[in-house]
Amino acid sequence: RRQIWSAKLFKSVFPAWLTASSLQSLISHVFEGLLVSVIVQLWMLPLLVIYFHRISPISILLNLWVGLFLALESFCAMFAVMIGGISEWLAAPLIALTELLNKFMMSVPAWFATNQAASFRVPVYPGSYKAIYLLFGIAVVVGAAGAFKWDPFEFAVRRSRYKVVAAIVHGAGVAALALLIILHPYSAPNPDGKLTVDFLDVGQGDSALITFPNGVTVLVDGGGQMDFKNDDSDFEPDTRRIGEAVVSEFLWAKGYSHIDYLVATHADADHIQGLSDVARNFHIGSILIGTIADGDPEFSELMKVAQLRTIRVTTVRRGDVLSIGEATIEVLNPAENLPAGRSSNNASVVIKVSFGECSFLMTGDIEKEAEDELLAISSLDLRVDVIKVAHHGSRTSSTKGLVDRLGAHTAVISVGRKSRFGHPHREVVERWRNSGANVFKTGDKGTITIATDGDAVELRTFVP
């Protein structure tokens, strides 16, 4: 009466090599390694997204490859160190073998990384949606506890069936939560009907995210680090660049994985370098440029990323108008498609963004010559409410004529707290204040956010 099991056992004779004990042992070890790798990825999923914004499905397989060669390399290096204490000549072959094993270990991950198949980047859920990560963690813990207590040979048939159904439902729930984290369908903020500009604190550089009333996003410049090295060394410190550590982090924290437009005002590193990082990390609709800066390494890097990710690149000039819902972007500079050459401040893309009765002017790094050219166009409406002060508040920009013509009530200077160039210059700050504008510096206020419903303007700041 207690014997409720029935089974038919057989052993396949074809193919015979499947029954070889050595192969079965190998398969069992590979399976166990894959299972451990899957479990680790499952447990680490929320942390990978929150702290690294990265999902790597291929790592489930790569963990086995790297684990094998890392173990071999470690033992080989350890023996090389011990023998090296006796004779460097005897240790030389082991050192060479260690380097060879390291090349083998890195070769496969490098191939996947080069072909953009190693991982993809994802944002985090903002606000109350972060509860998804907590729910996922609870679900995984409950599932682990259930698996630990599972007895596949339990005699209580009805109870066993109930547990099977519960396990299926629970597994489906874990899978659904995992997909919500990976695909993040609800992470991006919903359009709020306002035009919002976030001036990011990127130190000595420029970067501003414009979010239009209908949700379209435009990133003007991406910050970056100027390189003043005088040597020819290829050494690069293993640190994250501004575009990764500041701009991308800001966009991920807001829940974005797609940016509609990138605007590269000009090819100076403190403006364009971060755009290359953003173009790698996000889906980009189009890149807008004013000039083709041939020979400029930062511009070349952005164009290579655009080509690799098949991002459309469009050259804009004065008179171009882009309508985005009820708002518009008007290009005021450069005047025409300039011949290819090195980047210059006066060739910066200058755009005027208007919504309702309010307007913003993004000036890049234009200097007196370009400002005088704009002032000479009598038909050009330069009155704005908010201006991003040109060239970080340098005395080569913000002439009195332009300041008076603009009549801005808010002037934002994108600059570090301590500028190696002395920006912003005192006389420039006083000139804006004397015109009646409130002056804000990103180095002091952090991220400066200005939003308008087309009539009223609200300003807030954030220092992390």
Side-chain angles (χ1 to χ4, degrees), residues 68-92:
L68 172 63
F69 282 97
L70 184 61
L72 295 175
E73 177 186 345
S74 298
F75 281 111
C76 190
M78 187 167 55
F79 286 126
V81 170
M82 289 189 295
I83 296 176
I86 302 173
S87 170
E88 293 184 5
W89 181 79
L90 291 175

Side-chain angles (χ1 to χ4, degrees), residues 6 16 54 84 131 161 167 193 205-206 213 242 294 349 388 390:
S6 62
R54 191 184 295 278
R161 289 176 179 174
D206 269 21
I242 295 294
D294 280 348
V349 175
K388 195 288 299 180

Side-chain angles (χ1 to χ4, degrees), residues 320-341:
D320 290 344
V321 177
L322 180 62
S323 296
I324 302 177
E326 299 179 1
T328 60
I329 296 178
E330 181 182 359
V331 181
L332 307 185
N333 197 65
E336 57 186 11
N337 287 330
L338 302 177

Side-chain angles (χ1 to χ4, degrees), residues 18-48:
L18 281 176
T19 64
S21 59
S22 57
L23 181 61
Q24 288 181 348
S25 177
L26 175 62
I27 292 175
S28 67
H29 282 88
V30 171
F31 176 79
E32 183 178 0
L34 290 175
L35 183 60
V36 170
S37 188
V38 169
I39 291 172
V40 170
Q41 291 291 318
L42 194 65
W43 276 95
M44 295 292 291
L45 179 60
L47 299 179
L48 291 173

